[in-house]
Amino acid sequence: MKRAILTLLLCAGLVCAQPAISTERLTRVDHLLQQYTGQNQIAGAVALILQDGKPVYERAIGWSDKEAHRAMTTGTLFRIASQTKALTSTAVLELFEEGKIGLDEPVSHFIPTFKDTTVAVRDGSGIKTVAAKRPILIRDLLTHTAGISYGTDPQVRDLYAAKGLGPAAGYGWYTADKDERICQTMERLGTLPFVAQPGEAFVYGYNTDILGCVVEKASGMPFDEFIRARVTEPLGLKDTRFYVPAGERDRLAAVYSSSSDGTAVRAPEGAKGQGHYVDGPRKSFAGGAGLTSTAHDYARFLEMIRNGGALDGVRLLGSRTVALMTTNQSGTLHSTTGLGFGFGFETVDRYGASGMAGVGAFGWGGAYGTTYQVDPQSHLVIVLMIQLIPNATDIQPKFSAAVYQALVN
């Protein structure tokens, strides 16, 4: 009886000692992945779960390229799209720790076209442009509260398209086909109207691409070189790069799309499909959506974050800085149902707000269907890699549930 009472006290609010993972219950993850590949809802997947940095589940299933008869492997490369944002945020915060970037510093200190930004607002049946009420700050970009979208909104889409952005850039976020460096693109963006006032709404968009340019300006290094020298090489992430070497093209998973009947069909070439990650200009290093990686590499990066900014004797960030990244910094602007947004990650502030993820968990995903979550309470890093855009499946929440149901106290 005393032991039961003690357990209840220790586990109040699900703050418990490290839970065990039932290997028997983890077979449900296998069944789930087999179901989705067997029904051709996805071509293939790689799933990786770490607990305290050690793999407790790693599977590759299905096809990397169905038409070429290439099986998925744990070393398959994926376009991680918005999962790039976490590495860019890490780069920004490294420079913050060095005093080269301030969280409340105006973006215009680095990109002058952001000095006098404007906002497109409805005016009766039309649209008018008004001045921003205040400067856009670095913290606004980190939390997606700067009012900057991907330019596909009706009130700005034509203006963005004319500048090679928004509808002219795939789904809005795609820049891998641009024959210019990211700062040129972002400097042009600063001349366009945004869709909300700074600090007044959560608007998902080019925020982290702008931060990639800020890193270039603050560090004096090209953004791709900074990411390589300060993030990927120190952590040993050999497969995390903006573009895939031509000799490794067969390692890159093909992109599929959810069709009208729910099955996966091969996506077309170009910005809304296979992209330009092997053949293309290779000039635009986009901090918001540009990287390719493997499940193993990305999980290792996340383990560094889970571990307070250091891994295997290499420290990228201080533990207090990591706490800023993984704590809600946006109040209720992102969500009123228990989710927040920190400096690069969505945060879980209420149990049940994101499936069975514990309070304090954080994560995000990418446009090609990749997704991840870090759960400090359970000592877990969870990564699922697929390549499906648009993705009409519900594999992501079901995968999360299949992982968490395997935890037993």
Side-chain angles (χ1 to χ4, degrees), residues 172-192:
W173 47 265
Y174 185 84
T175 66
D177 58 346
K178 290 193 178 301
D179 193 15
E180 63 182 15
R181 296 194 67 84
I182 197 65
C183 274
Q184 290 178 257
T185 312
M186 294 302 103
E187 286 162 2
R188 193 162 64 250
L189 175 68
T191 68
L192 293 166

Side-chain angles (χ1 to χ4, degrees), residues 32 35-36 41 391-400:
L32 181 77
Q35 172 191 337
Y36 278 79
Q41 293 185 66
N391 174 16
T393 76
D394 58 356
I395 190 172
Q396 294 164 326
K398 286 189 175 179
F399 171 74
S400 177

